[in-house]
Structures are given as C-alpha cells and as structure tokens.
Amino acid sequence: MVLDSLIAQEVVFERLNKDFLNEQVSQVYLFHGPSGVGKLKVAEFFSKKILCESFESPCNICLSCEKFDSAVHLDFLKISLSDDKKKGKIETIRQEILPRVYQKANEGNSKVFIFDGADKMTLASFNSLLKVIEEPPLHTFFIFITSNLYAIPITILSRCRKVRFQPLGREKLKKILSVNYEASEEEIEKLISLNFLDADLISSEAIEIAENCRGQALSFLKEIAKSPAEVNPIDLMNLTIVKFDHSKPQRDNALSFLISIRSLLRDMLVLQLGSEDLLFWNVDIERSLKKIVLDWSQSDLISAFLITEKSIKDLTVLNTNSSLTLESLVHTIRSFLIER
C-alpha cells in the first residue's frame, strides 16, 4: 500500500508506530483534522498493520495483507458515512454493525471498524455504540474519522484516544494532488484554492459549484462592508440565499457558504498583516481580495472571522436553522461595521 500522505503526517505516523512498539494500541481512536490531509489513508494503513499476521507489519505478503489489498478482508469494515447518510442511522448500526462487532474474527484474531465521516452519525447512533466503545470486545478496534470535532458527542470524545492531523502546506498539497490528478500547475493551484484536496471528488460540475460558492461569498464581503448610504439591504440579504448546489439540502449549502467566507476573511487578514510566513490559499483571486480588504480594518476582519466561526459551530453542533443563522451573521457583522 503506497501511502504518500504519511510523508506529510510524520508526527501522526511516529505516534501510531510508538503505540505499536510499546504495545499500547488503543481499541478506540478518533482521527480529526482538516479535510484532505490523509486521515482515511492513515486509518487504512493502520488497520492493515493491526490485521497483519507478521510482527513486522504490514508485511504485504501474508494472506491477511493480500486480502486487505484486494478489499475482501472479512475482519475489516469501512463505513463511509459521507457517501451514504443512511449508514449513520441507528437502525443500520444496530442491524448491520453491532452484530459484526460481537462476532469472532474470521481471518485472524483481530477486527477493525472505520467510521469515515463520523460527524454525520446521529446522536442515537453514537449512543448505541457507547457501550461497545466503553468495553470493546477483545482484539476489536474502532477508528472514528472526522473533519468536524465539534460534532462528536462528549461521551464519545472522552472514550477515544484522539489523534490530531495537521493542515498541509500548499506545496505538499500540490505534490499529493499532482500524483493523483492530471492537470497544469495553474489548474492545480486553483483546485487547492477551491479546497479540492481529493482527486476523486474533482469534476467540472463540482468545480463550477465551488466557484459559485466562493464568488457569492466574495460578493457578500464586498457588499456588507459598504457604508449605510451605499449598501442595499435587499441585495445583501439575497446574497445569503445560497442555492449554488441544488443536489444538497439548504443546511449543507449554508455551511459551504460560511466556510468560504471564513477562508476569504482569513486571507484578507493575511494581506493586511503583510506576513509572508502565513499561508495564503485563495491565490487565484488575490487581486480581488486586495480591493475588498481596503474597506476593512484589522479588528473588523478578526471580529467577522470569529462571528463566522461561531455561525459554523452553531450549524454543525447546535443544529440551528440555517436561514436564521445567516441572518444573525449579517446583522452582527453590519452592527460593528456601522459603528466604526
């Protein structure tokens, strides 16, 4: 198994290896960190290592490793919750997952369960797993993966060994994406700016949706910073009606919109600080950001960033109404911008 993402996550790799060497492998891990930094690949590699029949694992030659690489290992189950939200419902957990947890291993002594996109699980589903996480069957391992730590219940967090994955630098992302996707350097730069860190998710339609989302966020930040005499309240509120991706529910669109706003605000702050040491993500629209940032003070940018961060947390953790959350965002940001 080639694991280029391990090169970029050396600290994580060393920590997990240390757990193995010290025979202190936890039965319940939580891998958390930004999207596209290799959490799933590391989890799969780690699972293969657990299941391998050799002490120097993974050996890549034993029957277990061969079956793992062929995706036919009976003691390995990956539940991709981001692809199918039904898998995160309590009925699926009770009827399909828990029976397999308590079954004996088929190939060897161990079993591994990966929950990719664990933040998509319902609270009832988490509660149904609580008992088995508190007292896992012998040689049974769980790896929960999430890009949104806020969405994991405290009852689950407290019972997991948490492994944090760090954001990757732009050059490392370019290298990883270039290996898996054929495109020019300019196109790769744009894909990274639009947060396409997984080649499997790239399509012309997805790129168009991401561009529309960021474009609307850019227009929003330009409009909301205008003086009271210049701003059109109707136009401003219309920019919070997010319908750029008709295949997703309103909440998901609103979340993508807020994440785009946060990314733009961060880069605007970087431009104001003039620090070359900080990462700058939206390279392809730098000129547009330099024009907009003239209407913002440093303190305004920081305040707007924190308000946007809170709105994201409200949507993901408190499950607030998406329209009301966006209306509150507009009102709060406008309030301190008018008072300046």
Side-chain angles (χ1 to χ4, degrees), residues 91-124:
E91 295 83 3
T92 306
I93 300 297
R94 286 177 173 172
Q95 296 172 13
E96 300 181 22
I97 310 301
L98 288 177
R100 293 189 62 171
V101 169
Y102 290 106
Q103 289 175 358
K104 288 185 177 181
N106 292 280
E107 309 287 354
N109 295 321
S110 301
K111 304 190 298 294
V112 183
F113 296 83
I114 290 179
F115 292 84
D116 185 25
D119 47 283
K120 301 295 190 298
M121 289 176 62
T122 63
L123 181 59

PDB file of all heavy atoms in Angstrom, residues 91-124:
ATOM      1  N   GLU A  91     -30.685   2.403  13.004  1.00  0.00           N
ATOM      2  CA  GLU A  91     -31.128   1.095  12.516  1.00  0.00           C
ATOM      3  C   GLU A  91     -29.967   0.347  11.859  1.00  0.00           C
ATOM      4  O   GLU A  91     -29.800  -0.863  12.065  1.00  0.00           O
ATOM      5  CB  GLU A  91     -32.275   1.255  11.500  1.00  0.00           C
ATOM      6  CG  GLU A  91     -33.552   1.834  12.088  1.00  0.00           C
ATOM      7  CD  GLU A  91     -33.526   3.349  12.165  1.00  0.00           C
ATOM      8  OE1 GLU A  91     -32.523   3.946  11.693  1.00  0.00           O
ATOM      9  OE2 GLU A  91     -34.483   3.927  12.702  1.00  0.00           O
ATOM     10  N   THR A  92     -29.165   1.067  11.076  1.00  0.00           N
ATOM     11  CA  THR A  92     -28.021   0.438  10.410  1.00  0.00           C
ATOM     12  C   THR A  92     -26.986  -0.013  11.427  1.00  0.00           C
ATOM     13  O   THR A  92     -26.428  -1.110  11.313  1.00  0.00           O
ATOM     14  CB  THR A  92     -27.380   1.427   9.422  1.00  0.00           C
ATOM     15  OG1 THR A  92     -28.380   1.907   8.522  1.00  0.00           O
ATOM     16  CG2 THR A  92     -26.271   0.763   8.633  1.00  0.00           C
ATOM     17  N   ILE A  93     -26.730   0.827  12.421  1.00  0.00           N
ATOM     18  CA  ILE A  93     -25.747   0.478  13.452  1.00  0.00           C
ATOM     19  C   ILE A  93     -26.189  -0.781  14.191  1.00  0.00           C
ATOM     20  O   ILE A  93     -25.393  -1.707  14.404  1.00  0.00           O
ATOM     21  CB  ILE A  93     -25.574   1.640  14.454  1.00  0.00           C
ATOM     22  CG1 ILE A  93     -25.083   2.913  13.739  1.00  0.00           C
ATOM     23  CG2 ILE A  93     -24.605   1.238  15.562  1.00  0.00           C
ATOM     24  CD1 ILE A  93     -23.737   2.783  13.103  1.00  0.00           C
ATOM     25  N   ARG A  94     -27.449  -0.841  14.583  1.00  0.00           N
ATOM     26  CA  ARG A  94     -27.957  -1.979  15.355  1.00  0.00           C
ATOM     27  C   ARG A  94     -28.051  -3.262  14.535  1.00  0.00           C
ATOM     28  O   ARG A  94     -27.746  -4.349  15.026  1.00  0.00           O
ATOM     29  CB  ARG A  94     -29.330  -1.629  15.934  1.00  0.00           C
ATOM     30  CG  ARG A  94     -29.274  -0.661  17.109  1.00  0.00           C
ATOM     31  CD  ARG A  94     -30.664  -0.298  17.574  1.00  0.00           C
ATOM     32  NE  ARG A  94     -30.634   0.493  18.795  1.00  0.00           N
ATOM     33  CZ  ARG A  94     -31.715   1.065  19.321  1.00  0.00           C
ATOM     34  NH1 ARG A  94     -32.899   0.944  18.731  1.00  0.00           N
ATOM     35  NH2 ARG A  94     -31.614   1.778  20.427  1.00  0.00           N
ATOM     36  N   GLN A  95     -28.473  -3.137  13.290  1.00  0.00           N
ATOM     37  CA  GLN A  95     -28.751  -4.328  12.487  1.00  0.00           C
ATOM     38  C   GLN A  95     -27.535  -4.847  11.724  1.00  0.00           C
ATOM     39  O   GLN A  95     -27.405  -6.054  11.517  1.00  0.00           O
ATOM     40  CB  GLN A  95     -29.878  -4.028  11.497  1.00  0.00           C
ATOM     41  CG  GLN A  95     -31.205  -3.705  12.166  1.00  0.00           C
ATOM     42  CD  GLN A  95     -32.260  -3.223  11.187  1.00  0.00           C
ATOM     43  OE1 GLN A  95     -32.106  -3.350   9.964  1.00  0.00           O
ATOM     44  NE2 GLN A  95     -33.336  -2.643  11.695  1.00  0.00           N
ATOM     45  N   GLU A  96     -26.615  -3.937  11.322  1.00  0.00           N
ATOM     46  CA  GLU A  96     -25.509  -4.355  10.470  1.00  0.00           C
ATOM     47  C   GLU A  96     -24.138  -4.274  11.149  1.00  0.00           C
ATOM     48  O   GLU A  96     -23.273  -5.112  10.883  1.00  0.00           O
ATOM     49  CB  GLU A  96     -25.492  -3.503   9.192  1.00  0.00           C
ATOM     50  CG  GLU A  96     -26.769  -3.627   8.355  1.00  0.00           C
ATOM     51  CD  GLU A  96     -26.709  -2.790   7.098  1.00  0.00           C
ATOM     52  OE1 GLU A  96     -25.589  -2.457   6.656  1.00  0.00           O
ATOM     53  OE2 GLU A  96     -27.783  -2.451   6.551  1.00  0.00           O
ATOM     54  N   ILE A  97     -23.956  -3.284  11.997  1.00  0.00           N
ATOM     55  CA  ILE A  97     -22.624  -3.076  12.584  1.00  0.00           C
ATOM     56  C   ILE A  97     -22.423  -3.867  13.877  1.00  0.00           C
ATOM     57  O   ILE A  97     -21.478  -4.653  14.003  1.00  0.00           O
ATOM     58  CB  ILE A  97     -22.358  -1.583  12.853  1.00  0.00           C
ATOM     59  CG1 ILE A  97     -22.660  -0.740  11.605  1.00  0.00           C
ATOM     60  CG2 ILE A  97     -20.916  -1.383  13.325  1.00  0.00           C
ATOM     61  CD1 ILE A  97     -21.856  -1.123  10.395  1.00  0.00           C
ATOM     62  N   LEU A  98     -23.313  -3.669  14.850  1.00  0.00           N
ATOM     63  CA  LEU A  98     -23.134  -4.309  16.160  1.00  0.00           C
ATOM     64  C   LEU A  98     -23.052  -5.836  16.100  1.00  0.00           C
ATOM     65  O   LEU A  98     -22.219  -6.432  16.805  1.00  0.00           O
ATOM     66  CB  LEU A  98     -24.254  -3.874  17.108  1.00  0.00           C
ATOM     67  CG  LEU A  98     -24.152  -2.420  17.606  1.00  0.00           C
ATOM     68  CD1 LEU A  98     -25.347  -2.062  18.479  1.00  0.00           C
ATOM     69  CD2 LEU A  98     -22.855  -2.208  18.379  1.00  0.00           C
ATOM     70  N   PRO A  99     -23.873  -6.511  15.266  1.00  0.00           N
ATOM     71  CA  PRO A  99     -23.727  -7.976  15.189  1.00  0.00           C
ATOM     72  C   PRO A  99     -22.326  -8.408  14.754  1.00  0.00           C
ATOM     73  O   PRO A  99     -21.781  -9.382  15.267  1.00  0.00           O
ATOM     74  CB  PRO A  99     -24.781  -8.373  14.143  1.00  0.00           C
ATOM     75  CG  PRO A  99     -25.818  -7.308  14.243  1.00  0.00           C
ATOM     76  CD  PRO A  99     -25.045  -6.052  14.491  1.00  0.00           C
ATOM     77  N   ARG A 100     -21.709  -7.647  13.831  1.00  0.00           N
ATOM     78  CA  ARG A 100     -20.368  -7.989  13.365  1.00  0.00           C
ATOM     79  C   ARG A 100     -19.316  -7.704  14.439  1.00  0.00           C
ATOM     80  O   ARG A 100     -18.282  -8.367  14.504  1.00  0.00           O
ATOM     81  CB  ARG A 100     -20.035  -7.204  12.092  1.00  0.00           C
ATOM     82  CG  ARG A 100     -20.890  -7.603  10.898  1.00  0.00           C
ATOM     83  CD  ARG A 100     -20.407  -6.981   9.608  1.00  0.00           C
ATOM     84  NE  ARG A 100     -19.062  -7.399   9.250  1.00  0.00           N
ATOM     85  CZ  ARG A 100     -18.486  -7.129   8.080  1.00  0.00           C
ATOM     86  NH1 ARG A 100     -19.164  -6.448   7.171  1.00  0.00           N
ATOM     87  NH2 ARG A 100     -17.255  -7.521   7.814  1.00  0.00           N
ATOM     88  N   VAL A 101     -19.587  -6.704  15.270  1.00  0.00           N
ATOM     89  CA  VAL A 101     -18.650  -6.368  16.348  1.00  0.00           C
ATOM     90  C   VAL A 101     -18.482  -7.541  17.301  1.00  0.00           C
ATOM     91  O   VAL A 101     -17.368  -7.845  17.752  1.00  0.00           O
ATOM     92  CB  VAL A 101     -19.136  -5.116  17.120  1.00  0.00           C
ATOM     93  CG1 VAL A 101     -18.323  -4.919  18.404  1.00  0.00           C
ATOM     94  CG2 VAL A 101     -19.035  -3.878  16.231  1.00  0.00           C
ATOM     95  N   TYR A 102     -19.578  -8.211  17.608  1.00  0.00           N
ATOM     96  CA  TYR A 102     -19.556  -9.284  18.600  1.00  0.00           C
ATOM     97  C   TYR A 102     -19.265 -10.661  17.992  1.00  0.00           C
ATOM     98  O   TYR A 102     -19.164 -11.641  18.716  1.00  0.00           O
ATOM     99  CB  TYR A 102     -20.874  -9.318  19.359  1.00  0.00           C
ATOM    100  CG  TYR A 102     -21.039  -8.123  20.280  1.00  0.00           C
ATOM    101  CD1 TYR A 102     -21.907  -7.084  19.974  1.00  0.00           C
ATOM    102  CD2 TYR A 102     -20.290  -8.027  21.455  1.00  0.00           C
ATOM    103  CE1 TYR A 102     -22.049  -5.980  20.814  1.00  0.00           C
ATOM    104  CE2 TYR A 102     -20.413  -6.930  22.297  1.00  0.00           C
ATOM    105  CZ  TYR A 102     -21.290  -5.920  21.969  1.00  0.00           C
ATOM    106  OH  TYR A 102     -21.416  -4.831  22.797  1.00  0.00           O
ATOM    107  N   GLN A 103     -19.129 -10.726  16.676  1.00  0.00           N
ATOM    108  CA  GLN A 103     -18.761 -11.994  16.046  1.00  0.00           C
ATOM    109  C   GLN A 103     -17.265 -12.247  16.208  1.00  0.00           C
ATOM    110  O   GLN A 103     -16.474 -11.322  16.358  1.00  0.00           O
ATOM    111  CB  GLN A 103     -19.105 -11.962  14.547  1.00  0.00           C
ATOM    112  CG  GLN A 103     -20.586 -12.005  14.241  1.00  0.00           C
ATOM    113  CD  GLN A 103     -20.856 -11.848  12.747  1.00  0.00           C
ATOM    114  OE1 GLN A 103     -19.934 -11.667  11.953  1.00  0.00           O
ATOM    115  NE2 GLN A 103     -22.126 -11.913  12.371  1.00  0.00           N
ATOM    116  N   LYS A 104     -16.875 -13.505  16.160  1.00  0.00           N
ATOM    117  CA  LYS A 104     -15.462 -13.847  16.202  1.00  0.00           C
ATOM    118  C   LYS A 104     -14.784 -13.441  14.900  1.00  0.00           C
ATOM    119  O   LYS A 104     -15.415 -13.390  13.847  1.00  0.00           O
ATOM    120  CB  LYS A 104     -15.282 -15.353  16.421  1.00  0.00           C
ATOM    121  CG  LYS A 104     -15.632 -15.817  17.832  1.00  0.00           C
ATOM    122  CD  LYS A 104     -15.309 -17.304  17.998  1.00  0.00           C
ATOM    123  CE  LYS A 104     -15.596 -17.761  19.423  1.00  0.00           C
ATOM    124  NZ  LYS A 104     -15.272 -19.192  19.620  1.00  0.00           N
ATOM    125  N   ALA A 105     -13.517 -13.159  14.984  1.00  0.00           N
ATOM    126  CA  ALA A 105     -12.762 -12.807  13.784  1.00  0.00           C
ATOM    127  C   ALA A 105     -12.738 -13.981  12.817  1.00  0.00           C
ATOM    128  O   ALA A 105     -12.650 -15.147  13.232  1.00  0.00           O
ATOM    129  CB  ALA A 105     -11.345 -12.402  14.159  1.00  0.00           C
ATOM    130  N   ASN A 106     -12.818 -13.688  11.525  1.00  0.00           N
ATOM    131  CA  ASN A 106     -12.861 -14.741  10.504  1.00  0.00           C
ATOM    132  C   ASN A 106     -11.472 -15.126  10.011  1.00  0.00           C
ATOM    133  O   ASN A 106     -11.181 -16.294   9.808  1.00  0.00           O
ATOM    134  CB  ASN A 106     -13.699 -14.267   9.311  1.00  0.00           C
ATOM    135  CG  ASN A 106     -15.165 -14.123   9.648  1.00  0.00           C
ATOM    136  OD1 ASN A 106     -15.907 -15.087   9.690  1.00  0.00           O
ATOM    137  ND2 ASN A 106     -15.587 -12.881   9.904  1.00  0.00           N
ATOM    138  N   GLU A 107     -10.605 -14.123   9.821  1.00  0.00           N
ATOM    139  CA  GLU A 107      -9.305 -14.377   9.200  1.00  0.00           C
ATOM    140  C   GLU A 107      -8.204 -14.617  10.236  1.00  0.00           C
ATOM    141  O   GLU A 107      -7.309 -15.423  10.024  1.00  0.00           O
ATOM    142  CB  GLU A 107      -8.908 -13.177   8.326  1.00  0.00           C
ATOM    143  CG  GLU A 107      -9.973 -12.736   7.342  1.00  0.00           C
ATOM    144  CD  GLU A 107     -10.121 -13.691   6.175  1.00  0.00           C
ATOM    145  OE1 GLU A 107      -9.317 -14.645   6.080  1.00  0.00           O
ATOM    146  OE2 GLU A 107     -11.038 -13.494   5.346  1.00  0.00           O
ATOM    147  N   GLY A 108      -8.244 -13.884  11.327  1.00  0.00           N
ATOM    148  CA  GLY A 108      -7.194 -13.997  12.343  1.00  0.00           C
ATOM    149  C   GLY A 108      -7.766 -13.761  13.719  1.00  0.00           C
ATOM    150  O   GLY A 108      -8.835 -14.283  14.052  1.00  0.00           O
ATOM    151  N   ASN A 109      -7.082 -12.941  14.514  1.00  0.00           N
ATOM    152  CA  ASN A 109      -7.535 -12.682  15.873  1.00  0.00           C
ATOM    153  C   ASN A 109      -8.235 -11.332  16.042  1.00  0.00           C
ATOM    154  O   ASN A 109      -8.939 -11.130  17.028  1.00  0.00           O
ATOM    155  CB  ASN A 109      -6.338 -12.736  16.845  1.00  0.00           C
ATOM    156  CG  ASN A 109      -5.728 -14.125  16.919  1.00  0.00           C
ATOM    157  OD1 ASN A 109      -6.453 -15.117  16.900  1.00  0.00           O
ATOM    158  ND2 ASN A 109      -4.408 -14.189  16.982  1.00  0.00           N
ATOM    159  N   SER A 110      -8.007 -10.397  15.100  1.00  0.00           N
ATOM    160  CA  SER A 110      -8.478  -9.027  15.292  1.00  0.00           C
ATOM    161  C   SER A 110      -9.530  -8.617  14.265  1.00  0.00           C
ATOM    162  O   SER A 110      -9.625  -9.184  13.174  1.00  0.00           O
ATOM    163  CB  SER A 110      -7.291  -8.056  15.222  1.00  0.00           C
ATOM    164  OG  SER A 110      -6.332  -8.365  16.202  1.00  0.00           O
ATOM    165  N   LYS A 111     -10.296  -7.570  14.645  1.00  0.00           N
ATOM    166  CA  LYS A 111     -11.270  -6.944  13.745  1.00  0.00           C
ATOM    167  C   LYS A 111     -11.101  -5.435  13.858  1.00  0.00           C
ATOM    168  O   LYS A 111     -10.829  -4.910  14.934  1.00  0.00           O
ATOM    169  CB  LYS A 111     -12.714  -7.317  14.121  1.00  0.00           C
ATOM    170  CG  LYS A 111     -12.998  -8.807  14.162  1.00  0.00           C
ATOM    171  CD  LYS A 111     -14.494  -9.072  14.291  1.00  0.00           C
ATOM    172  CE  LYS A 111     -15.089  -8.516  15.573  1.00  0.00           C
ATOM    173  NZ  LYS A 111     -14.565  -9.190  16.788  1.00  0.00           N
ATOM    174  N   VAL A 112     -11.279  -4.740  12.724  1.00  0.00           N
ATOM    175  CA  VAL A 112     -11.139  -3.280  12.710  1.00  0.00           C
ATOM    176  C   VAL A 112     -12.351  -2.662  12.015  1.00  0.00           C
ATOM    177  O   VAL A 112     -12.755  -3.109  10.930  1.00  0.00           O
ATOM    178  CB  VAL A 112      -9.856  -2.825  11.990  1.00  0.00           C
ATOM    179  CG1 VAL A 112      -9.724  -1.307  12.065  1.00  0.00           C
ATOM    180  CG2 VAL A 112      -8.623  -3.493  12.589  1.00  0.00           C
ATOM    181  N   PHE A 113     -12.903  -1.627  12.649  1.00  0.00           N
ATOM    182  CA  PHE A 113     -14.041  -0.903  12.092  1.00  0.00           C
ATOM    183  C   PHE A 113     -13.660   0.569  11.943  1.00  0.00           C
ATOM    184  O   PHE A 113     -13.258   1.220  12.921  1.00  0.00           O
ATOM    185  CB  PHE A 113     -15.260  -1.010  13.007  1.00  0.00           C
ATOM    186  CG  PHE A 113     -15.789  -2.411  13.168  1.00  0.00           C
ATOM    187  CD1 PHE A 113     -15.208  -3.282  14.086  1.00  0.00           C
ATOM    188  CD2 PHE A 113     -16.852  -2.864  12.400  1.00  0.00           C
ATOM    189  CE1 PHE A 113     -15.683  -4.578  14.241  1.00  0.00           C
ATOM    190  CE2 PHE A 113     -17.331  -4.153  12.547  1.00  0.00           C
ATOM    191  CZ  PHE A 113     -16.749  -5.018  13.469  1.00  0.00           C
ATOM    192  N   ILE A 114     -13.759   1.095  10.726  1.00  0.00           N
ATOM    193  CA  ILE A 114     -13.509   2.509  10.466  1.00  0.00           C
ATOM    194  C   ILE A 114     -14.835   3.211  10.202  1.00  0.00           C
ATOM    195  O   ILE A 114     -15.641   2.752   9.377  1.00  0.00           O
ATOM    196  CB  ILE A 114     -12.573   2.703   9.255  1.00  0.00           C
ATOM    197  CG1 ILE A 114     -11.155   2.243   9.581  1.00  0.00           C
ATOM    198  CG2 ILE A 114     -12.551   4.168   8.822  1.00  0.00           C
ATOM    199  CD1 ILE A 114     -10.187   2.385   8.413  1.00  0.00           C
ATOM    200  N   PHE A 115     -15.079   4.318  10.892  1.00  0.00           N
ATOM    201  CA  PHE A 115     -16.259   5.153  10.651  1.00  0.00           C
ATOM    202  C   PHE A 115     -15.764   6.463  10.037  1.00  0.00           C
ATOM    203  O   PHE A 115     -15.363   7.381  10.753  1.00  0.00           O
ATOM    204  CB  PHE A 115     -17.019   5.412  11.960  1.00  0.00           C
ATOM    205  CG  PHE A 115     -17.673   4.191  12.540  1.00  0.00           C
ATOM    206  CD1 PHE A 115     -16.951   3.315  13.348  1.00  0.00           C
ATOM    207  CD2 PHE A 115     -19.000   3.904  12.278  1.00  0.00           C
ATOM    208  CE1 PHE A 115     -17.547   2.177  13.888  1.00  0.00           C
ATOM    209  CE2 PHE A 115     -19.609   2.769  12.808  1.00  0.00           C
ATOM    210  CZ  PHE A 115     -18.878   1.905  13.606  1.00  0.00           C
ATOM    211  N   ASP A 116     -15.766   6.517   8.710  1.00  0.00           N
ATOM    212  CA  ASP A 116     -15.288   7.697   7.998  1.00  0.00           C
ATOM    213  C   ASP A 116     -16.422   8.718   7.874  1.00  0.00           C
ATOM    214  O   ASP A 116     -17.496   8.397   7.371  1.00  0.00           O
ATOM    215  CB  ASP A 116     -14.773   7.299   6.613  1.00  0.00           C
ATOM    216  CG  ASP A 116     -14.160   8.465   5.872  1.00  0.00           C
ATOM    217  OD1 ASP A 116     -13.707   9.416   6.542  1.00  0.00           O
ATOM    218  OD2 ASP A 116     -14.133   8.432   4.631  1.00  0.00           O
ATOM    219  N   GLY A 117     -16.176   9.956   8.309  1.00  0.00           N
ATOM    220  CA  GLY A 117     -17.246  10.954   8.337  1.00  0.00           C
ATOM    221  C   GLY A 117     -18.135  10.756   9.540  1.00  0.00           C
ATOM    222  O   GLY A 117     -19.361  10.856   9.467  1.00  0.00           O
ATOM    223  N   ALA A 118     -17.515  10.479  10.688  1.00  0.00           N
ATOM    224  CA  ALA A 118     -18.264  10.148  11.906  1.00  0.00           C
ATOM    225  C   ALA A 118     -19.188  11.273  12.345  1.00  0.00           C
ATOM    226  O   ALA A 118     -20.186  11.025  13.032  1.00  0.00           O
ATOM    227  CB  ALA A 118     -17.288   9.804  13.037  1.00  0.00           C
ATOM    228  N   ASP A 119     -18.879  12.512  11.940  1.00  0.00           N
ATOM    229  CA  ASP A 119     -19.734  13.640  12.320  1.00  0.00           C
ATOM    230  C   ASP A 119     -21.115  13.568  11.686  1.00  0.00           C
ATOM    231  O   ASP A 119     -22.027  14.289  12.086  1.00  0.00           O
ATOM    232  CB  ASP A 119     -19.065  14.962  11.942  1.00  0.00           C
ATOM    233  CG  ASP A 119     -18.516  14.951  10.525  1.00  0.00           C
ATOM    234  OD1 ASP A 119     -17.450  14.351  10.311  1.00  0.00           O
ATOM    235  OD2 ASP A 119     -19.159  15.532   9.643  1.00  0.00           O
ATOM    236  N   LYS A 120     -21.282  12.680  10.690  1.00  0.00           N
ATOM    237  CA  LYS A 120     -22.593  12.530  10.033  1.00  0.00           C
ATOM    238  C   LYS A 120     -23.503  11.568  10.803  1.00  0.00           C
ATOM    239  O   LYS A 120     -24.670  11.406  10.459  1.00  0.00           O
ATOM    240  CB  LYS A 120     -22.408  12.010   8.603  1.00  0.00           C
ATOM    241  CG  LYS A 120     -21.551  12.899   7.713  1.00  0.00           C
ATOM    242  CD  LYS A 120     -22.222  14.234   7.473  1.00  0.00           C
ATOM    243  CE  LYS A 120     -21.506  15.034   6.396  1.00  0.00           C
ATOM    244  NZ  LYS A 120     -20.122  15.382   6.739  1.00  0.00           N
ATOM    245  N   MET A 121     -22.976  10.908  11.831  1.00  0.00           N
ATOM    246  CA  MET A 121     -23.787   9.970  12.608  1.00  0.00           C
ATOM    247  C   MET A 121     -24.775  10.723  13.494  1.00  0.00           C
ATOM    248  O   MET A 121     -24.490  11.807  13.991  1.00  0.00           O
ATOM    249  CB  MET A 121     -22.895   9.080  13.478  1.00  0.00           C
ATOM    250  CG  MET A 121     -22.098   8.067  12.690  1.00  0.00           C
ATOM    251  SD  MET A 121     -20.973   7.107  13.739  1.00  0.00           S
ATOM    252  CE  MET A 121     -22.130   6.291  14.825  1.00  0.00           C
ATOM    253  N   THR A 122     -25.939  10.134  13.702  1.00  0.00           N
ATOM    254  CA  THR A 122     -26.932  10.727  14.592  1.00  0.00           C
ATOM    255  C   THR A 122     -26.526  10.479  16.049  1.00  0.00           C
ATOM    256  O   THR A 122     -25.738   9.570  16.344  1.00  0.00           O
ATOM    257  CB  THR A 122     -28.323  10.135  14.352  1.00  0.00           C
ATOM    258  OG1 THR A 122     -28.290   8.724  14.672  1.00  0.00           O
ATOM    259  CG2 THR A 122     -28.746  10.295  12.893  1.00  0.00           C
ATOM    260  N   LEU A 123     -27.078  11.282  16.948  1.00  0.00           N
ATOM    261  CA  LEU A 123     -26.780  11.114  18.376  1.00  0.00           C
ATOM    262  C   LEU A 123     -27.229   9.740  18.864  1.00  0.00           C
ATOM    263  O   LEU A 123     -26.543   9.086  19.661  1.00  0.00           O
ATOM    264  CB  LEU A 123     -27.467  12.218  19.182  1.00  0.00           C
ATOM    265  CG  LEU A 123     -27.225  12.202  20.696  1.00  0.00           C
ATOM    266  CD1 LEU A 123     -25.748  12.308  21.019  1.00  0.00           C
ATOM    267  CD2 LEU A 123     -28.007  13.321  21.371  1.00  0.00           C
ATOM    268  N   ALA A 124     -28.382   9.290  18.364  1.00  0.00           N
ATOM    269  CA  ALA A 124     -28.889   7.966  18.750  1.00  0.00           C
ATOM    270  C   ALA A 124     -27.922   6.866  18.316  1.00  0.00           C
ATOM    271  O   ALA A 124     -27.721   5.881  19.035  1.00  0.00           O
ATOM    272  CB  ALA A 124     -30.264   7.736  18.139  1.00  0.00           C
TER     273      ALA A 124
END
